Amino acid sequence: MMKTVSELRTAINSAETAEKFAQVYGRDAVAAQQARYAKALDRFCEIFPADTEQLTAFSAPGRTEVGGNHTDHQHGCVLAASVNLDVIAITAARTDGQITVKSEGFDADHVDTADLTVHPEEAGRSQALIRGVCSGFIRRGYRVGGFDAYTISSVLKGSGLSSSAAFEVLIGNILNHLYNDGKMDAVTIAQVAQYAERDYFGKPCGLMDQTASSVGGFVAIDFADPEKPVVEQVNFRFADCGHNLVIVDTKGDHADLTDDYAAIANEMRAVAAQFGKTVLREVDPAEFYAKLGALRGVVSDRALLRAMHFFDDNARAQKEAALLRAGDFEAFKQEILASGRSSFMHLQNAYSIKNPAQQGIPLALAMSERLLAGKGAWRVHGGGFAGTMQAFVPCDLTADYCAAMERLFGEGSCYVLNVRPVGGTKMI
C-alpha cells in the first residue's frame, strides 16, 4: 500500500518496520536504518516536492560469491549469498512515462519509457541499466511506467559486492510493484537485470550476481541450462554460526584485467573443445583425466589446471550447499579453504602475470592464514587478479582480524557483513 509523506515517515519509525529492519539488517542496525530511510525520504521531498502522495520504499542487496569460482560461464554450479549492504529507494509513480532516478552523490538519470531502444552513448552508465530493465519487462509481457526515485547505496563501487546488480534488481522491484502487482518472480527479475547489464550497459556477465541479489539468503544455482537456471535457497541461519563474513579490499588496480578474465573462459572452452563440447560442464571429469596425458601439448598446461579447478569447484559448490543445509559449518569452512587453494594453484587468479609485483590478494590470503589458521576460512573473492578476498572469521576474532588487515591495506579496507535472508523487496 502506497503512502503519503507523513504516513511513510510514521511507518519508517513504526514497530512493524523496526521488526522488518531487524530481520533484513540485524537487530543492532535498526536505529541506523531508520535514520537512513528517513534521510532518503527527506532528500526525496527536496528533489521531488510535487510527489507527496503514493510513496513506497524499496531495497535490493549486494551479493558475495561463496562457492564456485569461475564456474558459471562453464554452465556450472555456484553458491552465492545476499549481504546486508544494499541500495534503497524512495519512489513515487508518474503518469507521463518518464523515469527520473537521483542517486546520492550522482547526477540524476532520466529515461523516457516510450524509447527503450539501446542508446550506445549510455553504455557503462546507470541510465542504460534503467532503460534495459524497462525493455526486459516489455519483452516478457509485463508493464512499465514512469516514476521518480531517490536512492542511497551502501554497496560501494569496486567492493566486489556487485553494486550494479543491486541497482538493476532495485529498478526491477520498483517496476514490478508499481505496475505489475508484484507478479514477476525473483528469478525472472534477475534475468531481466542480466539482460539490461549485458545488452544495454555493455558488460558481458553471468546470472549469479543478479540472482543472489534478487532471491536473497544463501542461493545455490545450477547453470546447466543458462536460460532456465535451477535456483534453490539454502535454509541456513548465518547469524547462528558464530562467524562474521569479512570482505577485504586489497586496493589492487582493476585496470587492464579484461584479458586475464577472458583467458580463463577461453582456456576452459579450449579444453572442452577437445571433447567436442562447448563448455566444461558437458565434459565427463573421468574422461578428462583419462585423456590428460594426450591433452598436454595440445592445450596449455594452464588450461589443464584451470579445467581441474572447474571440475573440483563445480562439485565443491554443491557440497558446500549440502553442508549448510545440514548445519555443518565446520566442514563447510574446510571446503572454503579447499576452494581457495584450488583458485590459487589451479585457476591461478590471485594476481595477474602482467603485473607480478602487485600481489595484494596473495598477501591478504597469507595474512589471513597467519591470523585464522585452525579457526576460520579464507579464499579469493569473485573474478580475482586484483581487488577483494573473503574470510569467515569467528566473531571473537573479528575486531583483531580487521585491525591487522587495515594496518596492511588501509583504513576502511574491511567490510564486516552478514548474510541477508531477504533479496530485492518492497520494504515499506
Side-chain angles (χ1 to χ4, degrees):
M1 181 178 178
M2 299 178 186
K3 303 181 183 299
T4 65
V5 172
S6 60
E7 288 171 341
L8 185 55
R9 199 179 304 280
T10 298
I12 288 171
N13 294 297
S14 69
E16 179 182 358
T17 300
E19 189 57 36
K20 189 168 187 179
F21 282 169
Q23 178 191 13
V24 173
Y25 300 106
R27 200 158 296 279
D28 59 350
V30 170
Q33 292 301 326
Q34 288 172 327
R36 182 174 175 234
Y37 278 76
K39 174 186 175 183
L41 177 58
D42 289 341
R43 290 290 291 133
F44 179 92
C45 293
E46 293 171 9
I47 296 166
F48 307 108
D51 293 335
T52 58
E53 309 284 337
Q54 307 291 306
L55 301 185
T56 314
F58 293 89
S59 163
R63 71 92 188 98
T64 183
E65 172 207 284
V66 178
N69 195 210
H70 281 279
T71 55
D72 57 340
H73 52 68
Q74 298 299 299
H75 299 185
C77 297
V78 302
L79 178 65
S82 58
V83 298
N84 58 330
L85 299 182
D86 66 343
V87 54
I88 65 171
I90 305 297
T91 69
R94 293 174 57 148
T95 59
D96 59 0
Q98 301 296 312
I99 295 175
T100 298
V101 178
K102 175 68 173 73
S103 298
E104 184 180 46
F106 297 91
D107 294 335
D109 292 303
H110 304 281
V111 169
D112 184 348
T113 59
D115 175 15
L116 299 181
T117 59
V118 175
H119 288 221
E121 72 280 4
E122 293 178 356
R125 296 167 52 192
S126 298
Q127 194 173 9
L129 298 177
I130 300 167
R131 199 181 303 275
V133 171
C134 288
S135 173
F137 267 69
I138 294 297
R139 284 166 58 94
R140 291 175 178 268
Y142 291 86
R143 298 173 58 216
V144 301
F147 61 86
D148 293 325
Y150 182 79
T151 79
I152 296 177
S153 179
S154 57
V155 189
L156 302 178
K157 291 182 181 295
S159 64
L161 299 171
S162 201
S163 58
S164 59
F167 183 79
E168 297 151 14
V169 169
L170 180 79
I171 299 301
N173 273 271
I174 292 171
L175 292 171
N176 191 29
H177 287 279
L178 292 187
Y179 293 105
N180 297 279
D181 299 320
K183 293 178 180 177
M184 184 180 283
D185 65 88
V187 173
T188 304
I189 289 176
Q191 292 171 323
V192 166
Q194 180 204 25
Y195 162 76
E197 185 158 344
R198 185 185 59 205
D199 290 22
Y200 281 72
F201 189 79
K203 178 184 176 183
C205 63
L207 190 58
M208 178 185 69
D209 296 353
Q210 292 83 358
T211 302
S213 175
S214 189
V215 175
F218 280 102
V219 184
I221 314 169
D222 187 337
F223 290 110
D225 181 353
E227 296 303 314
K228 297 179 180 179
V230 177
V231 181
E232 296 182 0
Q233 280 190 300
V234 178
N235 185 20
F236 176 79
R237 279 183 52 85
F238 182 74
D240 296 339
C241 71
H243 288 67
N244 286 311
L245 171 62
V246 181
I247 300 296
V248 181
D249 183 1
T250 67
K251 309 295 177 67
D253 186 0
H254 287 77
D256 197 30
L257 293 176
T258 301
D259 292 346
D260 293 283
Y261 296 132
I264 292 177
N266 291 340
E267 290 176 12
M268 288 183 176
R269 290 191 182 103
V271 174
Q274 297 302 311
F275 298 86
K277 306 297 184 182
T278 304
V279 293
L280 285 175
R281 183 64 181 276
E282 300 169 345
V283 177
D284 181 352
E287 187 179 357
F288 164 79
Y289 281 105
K291 289 185 63 177
L292 191 58
L295 289 171
R296 191 164 188 231
V298 179
V299 295
S300 69
D301 288 348
R302 190 174 69 172
L304 296 175
L305 286 164
R306 286 175 164 173
M308 289 179 179
H309 167 81
F310 170 81
F311 292 126
D312 289 345
D313 229 39
N314 185 59
R316 190 176 292 115
Q318 300 169 70
K319 185 175 181 180
E320 288 165 349
L323 288 169
L324 289 180
R325 291 189 184 99
D328 193 344
F329 194 74
E330 290 303 309
F332 166 81
K333 287 193 298 182
Q334 294 306 308
E335 295 301 322
I336 292 294
L337 290 169
S339 177
R341 287 192 294 270
S342 180
S343 290
F344 201 116
M345 183 185 303
H346 301 143
L347 187 61
Q348 300 180 33
N349 68 332
Y351 64 93
S352 173
I353 60 174
K354 291 183 292 188
N355 187 10
Q358 183 186 92
Q359 296 198 23
I361 289 176
L363 185 59
L365 294 171
M367 191 65 175
S368 296
E369 182 176 26
R370 182 178 180 84
L371 295 168
L372 301 176
K375 299 171 183 176
W378 53 92
R379 67 190 283 273
V380 66
H381 181 243
F385 297 110
T388 60
M389 60 145 290
Q390 174 191 83
F392 291 90
V393 185
C395 292
D396 60 348
L397 297 180
T398 300
D400 289 342
Y401 175 81
C402 289
M405 298 305 274
E406 293 198 342
R407 283 194 296 270
L408 190 56
F409 296 106
E411 186 177 353
S413 57
C414 287
Y415 304 89
V416 181
L417 308 175
N418 286 306
V419 174
R420 162 173 159 157
V422 178
T425 186
K426 184 177 81 168
M427 190 66 72
I428 306 172

